[in-house]
């Protein structure tokens, strides 16, 4: 594996850039924080796992040429992009249709909020974001060594970035999970918890559909 890693100065630059990008709030972070505030810490951690697996799929896909396909085929990019955006909007609409008692911030319970389902939602949301594959295809080569196998090296660096992002996302979950019970007890906040969570997901769907640049 050592021959797949870039030289130490380049690896250090990659790790530093990865941490900065990972902690920068974007749609993925907002999705995870919203889940944590709405359904609690366990749901937030489940969403981190799902998002990480979806991002890993995009990283590996970029290594195998998925980003190249998106670069030359605007139709493929558009289809996947809008499928992911539609899924986010559908999640928001589904929340609006749930009983208000089940959607209070920090109080999510019941069949709809099992960790497996939240993990699945996070995975689909992250996987159906073609901008992530394009991001990996543009970002990773900046830190690759010329002497190593490019596909294997890209896959390794992509996996490292996903791991960094998962760690920083867990920090967001812990912070949001600590705030959720306090926020949920505030007068008036409990009544609007459903609308806050639903509008966040619908807004994320619109952002994913119309944003011109990639944000994690």
């Amino acid at each position: 594996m050592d021959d797949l890693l870039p030289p130490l100065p380049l690896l250090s630059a990659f790790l530093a850039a990865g941490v900065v990008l990972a902690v920068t709030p974007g749609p993925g972070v907002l999705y995870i924080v919203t889940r944590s505030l709405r359904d609690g810490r366990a749901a937030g951690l489940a969403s981190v796992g799902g998002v990480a697996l979806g991002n890993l799929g995009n990283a590996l896909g970029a290594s195998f040429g998925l980003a190249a396909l998106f670069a030359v085929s605007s139709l493929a990019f558009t289809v996947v992009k809008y499928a992911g955006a539609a899924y986010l909007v559908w999640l928001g609409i589904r929340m609006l249709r749930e009983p208000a008692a089940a959607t209070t911030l920090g109080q999510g319970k019941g069949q709809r909020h099992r960790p497996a389902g939240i993990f699945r939602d996070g995975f689909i949301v992250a996987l159906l974001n073609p901008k992530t594959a394009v991001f990996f295809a543009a970002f990773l080569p900046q830190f690759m060594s010329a002497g190593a196998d490019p596909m294997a090296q890209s896959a390794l660096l992509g996996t490292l970035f996903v791991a960094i992002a998962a760690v920083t996302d867990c920090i967001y979950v812990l912070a949001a999970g600590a705030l959720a019970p306090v926020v949920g007890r505030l007068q008036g906040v409990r009544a609007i918890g459903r609308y806050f969570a639903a509008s966040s997901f619908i807004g994320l769907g619109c952002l994913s559909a119309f944003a011109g640049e990639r944000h994690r």
Side-chain angles (χ1 to χ4, degrees), residues 107-127:
Q107 302 292 326
K109 297 179 181 179
Q111 180 95 4
R112 293 175 183 265
H113 309 301
R114 290 182 302 177
I118 294 174
F119 179 93
R120 177 205 62 214
D121 289 343
F123 171 72
I124 294 175
V125 166
L127 188 66

Side-chain angles (χ1 to χ4, degrees), residues 43-59:
L45 292 174
S47 67
V48 169
V51 168
L53 185 60
N55 285 336
L56 180 60
N58 274 312

Side-chain angles (χ1 to χ4, degrees), residues 79-163:
V79 168
V80 177
K81 173 182 176 180
Y82 284 110
Y87 190 78
L88 280 168
V89 172
W90 177 78
L91 287 178
I93 294 174
R94 189 179 69 179
M95 289 180 185
L96 288 175
R97 298 177 62 185
E98 294 175 1
T103 55
T104 302
L105 291 178
Q107 302 292 326
K109 297 179 181 179
Q111 180 95 4
R112 293 175 183 265
H113 309 301
R114 290 182 302 177
I118 294 174
F119 179 93
R120 177 205 62 214
D121 289 343
F123 171 72
I124 294 175
V125 166
L127 188 66
L128 294 181
N129 183 3
K131 296 177 184 178
T132 307
V134 174
F135 163 78
F136 280 123
F139 175 70
L140 297 181
Q142 311 305 317
F143 304 94
M144 292 169 59
S145 301
D149 178 76
M151 184 178 297
Q153 190 174 193
S154 175
L156 177 60
L157 291 177
T159 302
L160 284 176
F161 180 86
V162 170

Side-chain angles (χ1 to χ4, degrees), residues 20-36:
V20 170
L21 290 171
V23 300
T24 302
V29 171
L30 181 56
Y31 172 84
I32 290 166
V33 170
T34 299
R35 276 296 192 187
S36 302

